[in-house]
Amino acid sequence: STPKPSSAASDVYKRQGLMHDAMHGVLDLADSLVLVSSPAIDGARSAWSTLNWLDAHGYQHLVKRTVVAICSSRAGSASIDMDQLQATFNQRCAAVHLIPFDEHLAEGSEVDMDKMGKATRRAFIELAASVADGFSQTLVPTSVKRPEKHHVE
């Protein structure tokens, strides 16, 4: 049987949107996930809690295919060991990407790739490549029927 989260854990999961009625349907159809975290202890704990929830509710396959994006929302160095944080998530997930702070993104308006800093743009391209790497590994859910391919000879 699936372990039930504690009351405190349920509150966290509700805030994360994981216990929304439609979430199981979305997760059942997902091939992979992108999990965004901040480079802070509370952000890392929240992201780790999300992975634990997925594990406890039968989505272990998604945890293994999750790409983690650790996004800096302010300039300067993080208060935690980023190498350790990256190594910790790499134990469970497909990939971990550090997204540096970017003045253009901090504006909070429409994103223009040309206005992003070179390091930030490169980090997002690498993140997208990690997500795309998983495309060849995804399985078609048995509940979804794909149309048969017709070959023209």
Side-chain angles (χ1 to χ4, degrees):
S1 86
T2 303
K4 300 248 182 207
S6 69
S7 177
S10 289
D11 290 343
V12 170
Y13 299 143
K14 285 177 186 173
R15 285 194 307 272
Q16 293 170 337
L18 292 172
M19 293 186 75
H20 186 276
D21 291 341
M23 188 53 62
H24 284 285
V26 170
L27 291 173
D28 287 343
L29 294 174
D31 292 320
S32 64
L33 300 173
V34 176
L35 180 59
V36 180
S37 177
S38 65
I41 291 172
D42 62 339
R45 282 184 182 148
S46 179
W48 196 258
S49 176
T50 298
L51 296 174
N52 289 341
W53 185 93
L54 291 165
D55 268 339
H57 290 85
Y59 298 104
Q60 299 87 354
H61 64 289
L62 289 179
V63 171
K64 293 175 188 171
R65 293 185 188 144
T66 294
V67 176
V68 177
I70 302 171
C71 300
S72 297
S73 60
R74 57 188 161 112
S77 60
S79 60
I80 61 175
D81 182 343
M82 295 301 288
D83 292 334
Q84 179 63 42
L85 182 61
Q86 192 169 18
T88 300
F89 280 106
N90 268 327
Q91 293 173 11
R92 293 177 82 177
C93 301
V96 180
H97 293 276
L98 306 178
I99 310 296
F101 172 78
D102 189 272
E103 289 287 343
H104 172 60
L105 295 179
E107 294 171 1
S109 61
E110 187 175 320
V111 175
D112 182 342
M113 294 287 284
D114 293 330
K115 291 182 180 178
M116 269 189 222
K118 190 175 187 177
T120 305
R121 187 171 45 248
R122 179 164 185 82
F124 276 114
I125 290 170
E126 290 173 359
L127 184 142
S130 288
V131 173
D133 282 346
F135 291 167
S136 64
Q137 299 171 12
T138 58
L139 304 172
V140 177
T142 55
S143 62
V144 176
K145 291 186 180 181
R146 297 260 171 120
E148 291 187 31
K149 294 181 182 176
H150 297 282
H151 298 284
V152 178
E153 296 183 30

